[in-house]
Amino acid sequence: MRHRRPDPSGSGLRDVFAARRGGFGLDASGVWRYRELVFPDADSDVVTYPEGNTPLLERERVARWAAVSSLLMKHEGHNPTGSFKDRGMTVGISQARRLNARAVACASTGNTSASLAAYAALAGIPALVFVPIGQVAAGKLAQTLAYGAKTLLVRGDFDVCFTLAREASEKLNVYLLNSVNPFRLEGQKTIVLEMLEQLGWDPPDWIALPAGNLGNTSAFGKALLEALDVGLISRLPRLAAVQAQGANPFARSFRDGFARRHPVTAETVATAIRIGDPASHGRAVAAIRATKGVVADVSDDEILEAKAVVDASGAGCEPASAASVAGVRKLVEQGVIRKEERVVAILTGHVLKDPGILLRYHQEADPPPPRANHPIEIEPSLSAVEKVLGEGGR
Ligand code: F0G
């Protein structure tokens, strides 16, 4: 999707964005504040929570674990439904309203469905979601039900759900809001725009993000190229897209120079990115090439360790999000990212999205994983509390 060139551009446009901070209405949204680059003509149709305005966190011990001197985390879990999906959904649902859609639909590993359900409720449009049965984290399924979407538990994986949702939307005249929808991607670009603004438009050397269906990787590439084109920034950061080893079709494809696609049967603890045949492959290839980026993959153990470190830093994130931090550590180890380079890792979802994995890791796993914080059962007495304290802090 191409918009007309904003006027002003460069520092003038930076001033326009800056003047909107702390404003009301559209300006209160960390998506619509950048509307010249997102959806210049939307106005009365806009459905906004508002969303965005997420923090850029510095956590010394996460940087130390990843072995880089400068690591910031853009925490998209601070969006209204707890994931970055709200940034795309506010734009997608606004377009659905413009089109007078009778209903909206998506296939999802859980976050898109939660976000779609909430924004459809906000807009008063019926929502239909297709999710893989037994493969959606508890927090996400609970949200989707609570916000009132018609929720179909499909006997198949995400890739099956996506094919079905696509077919249903074509045949049944329902507006499809997966990230193949260009309006979704326009909204997701603002993760990058907001982060660049938070850095005073001085780009980092690297942006690391988890990669599943590759919508976000595509949106990031587009955002960076446009930011460069309109003079918001003067050089491009490199993208590092990170997949789970059990769901790594894009990493496999990267390793053979993107000569072909490598669909896989996906399996990983990071259910958000449990995707074997990503829909936005082509656009994501373009994004990696244009930014001289890389694609890495990390094991489930590495994801869980990174997650435990991010969680224990007080930041907290869901498993898929931790793939970005695990990927940074791995790329530093491999010498791809240099220690002194400035890195921003995207945390895509909130720690409470997947309570099941937390309880398994900290309470149930036997033997306990190295960073498990096992709860301690006690008699209701002060001496029992004293005894625990005496055993020393961590
Ligand atoms: N992180 C989280 C928390 C996600 O939910 C997703 C995707 C990704 C990363 C990967 O982003 O697909 O654009 O490459 N979740 C989708 C969903 C598939 O249905 O919620 P991507």
Side-chain angles (χ1 to χ4, degrees):
M1 184 176 294
R2 295 195 64 155
H3 309 299
R4 63 175 176 274
R5 219 184 151 69
D7 178 29
S9 57
S11 66
L13 188 57
R14 291 199 289 257
D15 291 344
V16 169
F17 293 156
R20 289 177 183 156
R21 272 196 306 234
F24 297 97
L26 290 189
D27 294 350
S29 162
V31 171
W32 295 101
R33 264 191 298 129
Y34 305 100
R35 53 191 171 270
E36 284 79 359
L37 300 179
V38 171
F39 198 156
D41 298 325
D43 192 356
S44 58
D45 296 306
V46 168
V47 181
T48 174
Y49 191 105
E51 49 290 309
N53 302 313
T54 61
L56 193 57
L57 306 175
E58 186 170 14
R59 293 290 181 271
E60 173 60 31
R61 48 172 131 169
V62 181
R64 212 178 316 127
W65 180 80
V68 272
S69 48
S70 165
L71 175 67
L72 297 173
M73 294 177 289
K74 176 80 173 147
H75 205 329
E76 288 296 303
H78 287 246
N79 272 292
T81 77
S83 85
F84 71 96
K85 303 292 181 179
D86 296 337
R87 291 185 183 260
M89 209 51 79
T90 178
V91 184
I93 289 278
S94 298
Q95 176 63 5
R97 183 136 98 181
R98 278 162 69 102
L99 297 174
N100 252 325
R102 64 187 265 237
V104 290
C106 72
S108 179
T109 54
N111 279 325
T112 302
S113 60
S115 184
L116 178 87
Y119 280 83
L122 213 52
I125 303 174
L128 182 64
V129 310
F130 299 76
V131 296
I133 190 164
Q135 292 298 332
V136 177
K140 305 175 189 181
L141 184 58
Q143 284 180 292
T144 307
L145 298 172
Y147 296 131
K150 204 172 274 298
T151 305
L152 307 179
L153 305 176
V154 181
R155 299 189 193 107
D157 61 13
F158 170 83
D159 302 284
V160 169
C161 290
F162 182 65
T163 307
L164 186 61
R166 203 171 216 176
E167 200 185 338
S169 69
E170 272 164 26
K171 302 265 163 68
L172 307 176
N173 188 28
V174 170
Y175 191 60
L176 186 66
L177 274 172
N178 274 99
S179 60
V180 289
N181 182 306
F183 292 91
R184 284 266 320 272
L185 294 191
E186 291 306 299
Q188 286 174 208
K189 288 189 321 196
T190 62
I191 304 170
V192 166
L193 297 176
E194 191 177 89
M195 179 256 283
L196 291 170
E197 189 177 30
Q198 285 166 315
L199 293 174
W201 303 103
D202 178 18
D205 297 299
W206 290 91
I207 303 173
L209 78 164
N213 214 23
L214 302 180
N216 227 17
T217 305
S218 307
F220 277 36
K222 190 167 189 286
L224 289 170
L225 291 177
E226 289 173 1
L228 186 70
D229 184 47
V230 301
L232 290 171
I233 53 173
S234 53
R235 63 182 175 82
L236 284 178
R238 300 174 71 183
L239 286 180
V242 187
Q243 296 207 290
Q245 257 159 25
N248 65 351
F250 194 47
R252 285 171 191 243
S253 182
F254 172 74
R255 288 198 276 267
D256 74 10
F258 293 128
R260 65 177 187 92
R261 298 182 66 140
H262 289 266
V264 300
T265 302
E267 191 49 81
T268 168
V269 288
T271 52
I273 50 174
R274 191 174 181 273
I275 293 172
D277 192 12
S280 295
H281 175 90
R283 280 192 292 259
V285 169
I288 295 295
R289 284 195 170 133
T291 62
K292 299 190 175 59
V294 299
V295 187
D297 55 0
V298 289
S299 70
D300 279 2
D301 282 350
E302 289 168 316
I303 290 174
L304 289 177
E305 189 181 341
K307 174 171 157 54
V309 172
V310 173
D311 289 354
S313 79
C317 67
E318 68 162 284
S321 310
S324 62
V325 173
V328 171
R329 177 170 151 120
K330 182 161 229 174
L331 289 165
V332 171
E333 247 165 44
Q334 293 173 346
V336 177
I337 295 179
R338 290 197 316 275
K339 267 185 177 355
E340 65 279 9
E341 287 185 303
R342 292 164 61 225
V343 183
V344 173
I346 311 297
L347 301 181
T348 43
H350 196 276
V351 67
L352 286 176
K353 285 283 190 174
D354 194 343
I357 204 132
L358 287 168
L359 296 177
R360 277 203 297 286
Y361 188 89
H362 291 290
Q363 190 167 13
E364 292 155 18
D366 186 21
R371 289 170 194 269
N373 175 26
H374 205 280
I376 304 157
E377 188 174 331
I378 60 161
E379 293 301 329
S381 74
L382 199 55
S383 63
V385 179
E386 233 178 338
K387 181 161 174 281
V388 172
L389 279 177
E391 281 160 9
R394 280 171 301 131

